[in-house]
Amino acid sequence: MGAQLRVYKRRIKSVTATKKITRAMEMIAASRIVKAQRRVAASEPYATELTRAVTAVAQGSDTQHPLTTEVERPTRAAVLLITSDRGLAGGYNSNAIKAAEQLNNRLIGEGKQVVNYIVGSKGVSYYRFRERPVKESWSGFTDQPTYADAKAVAEPLIEAIQADTGAADGVDELHIVYTEFISMMTQTPVDNRMLPLSFSKSAEESAEVIKGALKNGPEIMPLYDFEPSAEDVLDALLPRYVESRIYNALLQAAASKHAATRRAMKSATDNAEDLIKSLTRLANAARQADITQEISEIVGGASALADANAGSDR
């Protein structure tokens, strides 16, 4: 029975060490969430106003710009999937990949060829294991992305959508799949079409764009003059629009990943505590059995000695 007690003690020691690691990872993730939330909040006003500006320019002119004009029969679509470089985040990566798979199936069902672009080592590994083609991939910055990282990701995507559809790298649409940070407990994978810009539901939004800061002012449709031209303005604005959208998505994904890591590590820590309690009870039971056996042996030995002494006295 002593050997069994030693086994329990070794397991308790091992689980305790694991618990210390998961507790530390939980605390690190919790501290990073706050910073990530602040960065998301700081990036949203710029991304929102830039989107409004691009929408206003596109709707205020009749220029047929390639980044705002719907292709009559789109045949190729680029999909940017944002995952993380590390695991230990519960279902964070698998949920984002699942959302990308659903989007790909939908696009393929519409008769479009999908060109994959991936951010994060986990997404790259998933596609590489299944031998699926990936046009370009990036990794090493998913925990703390910068605007320079977003710009590097946006550059080939902008070139692809500006290229002719018949070209090897040309695409008609640009979609992005990432995990949106809603709260500490809720992170939802989403897929959005970034380009071409869709104005199908912007009738009400355009009124908000036009009013701007004039919250109580008259709802007048302004007339824009573009210098040197509306096309040149769109050429300058739309790359910034794509970069800002990708940057915001990277920040949202980073905050979501830290929240998922914190939740997963807290669950692992709680499980470790429950396992330690269970193993401690088993160890105590084994110790009590050892003590009971030792007492029984002592009592048996004393009884045998007493019987032997009684026999010699006769």
Side-chain angles (χ1 to χ4, degrees), residues 66 69-79 104 107-108 110-117 133-136 156-157 159-175 193 195-196:
T69 304
E70 293 278 355
V71 178
E72 185 175 353
R73 290 186 178 85
T75 58
R76 287 167 60 87
V79 175
N104 288 355
L107 294 173
I108 293 173
E110 295 172 359
K112 300 171 186 174
Q113 179 185 355
V114 177
V115 182
N116 293 302
Y117 295 81
V134 176
K135 184 64 177 178
E136 287 199 42
L157 294 170
E159 292 177 356
I161 201 163
Q162 285 179 328
D164 294 334
T165 306
D169 297 333
V171 296
D172 301 316
E173 297 177 355
L174 172 57
H175 299 259
R193 195 184 80 169
L195 295 173

Side-chain angles (χ1 to χ4, degrees), residues 164-225:
D164 294 334
T165 306
D169 297 333
V171 296
D172 301 316
E173 297 177 355
L174 172 57
H175 299 259
I176 183 171
V177 180
Y178 65 98
T179 305
E180 182 180 11
F181 181 85
I182 299 174
S183 67
M184 294 286 286
M185 297 302 297
T186 307
Q187 301 86 42
T188 307
V190 295
D191 65 88
N192 295 324
R193 195 184 80 169
M194 285 197 296
L195 295 173
L197 289 174
S198 175
F199 306 112
S200 58
K201 57 180 180 180
S202 59
E204 297 179 359
E205 294 177 357
S206 59
E208 296 296 327
V209 172
I210 292 160
K211 280 194 282 186
L214 304 175
K215 295 182 179 179
N216 300 320
E219 298 183 12
I220 331 176
M221 294 293 291
L223 297 176
Y224 289 95
D225 288 329

Side-chain angles (χ1 to χ4, degrees), residues 284-299:
N284 290 338
R287 185 182 298 108
Q288 290 171 0
D290 280 352
I291 294 172
T292 302
Q293 183 176 354
E294 289 176 1
I295 292 175
S296 299
E297 291 174 354
I298 292 172
V299 171

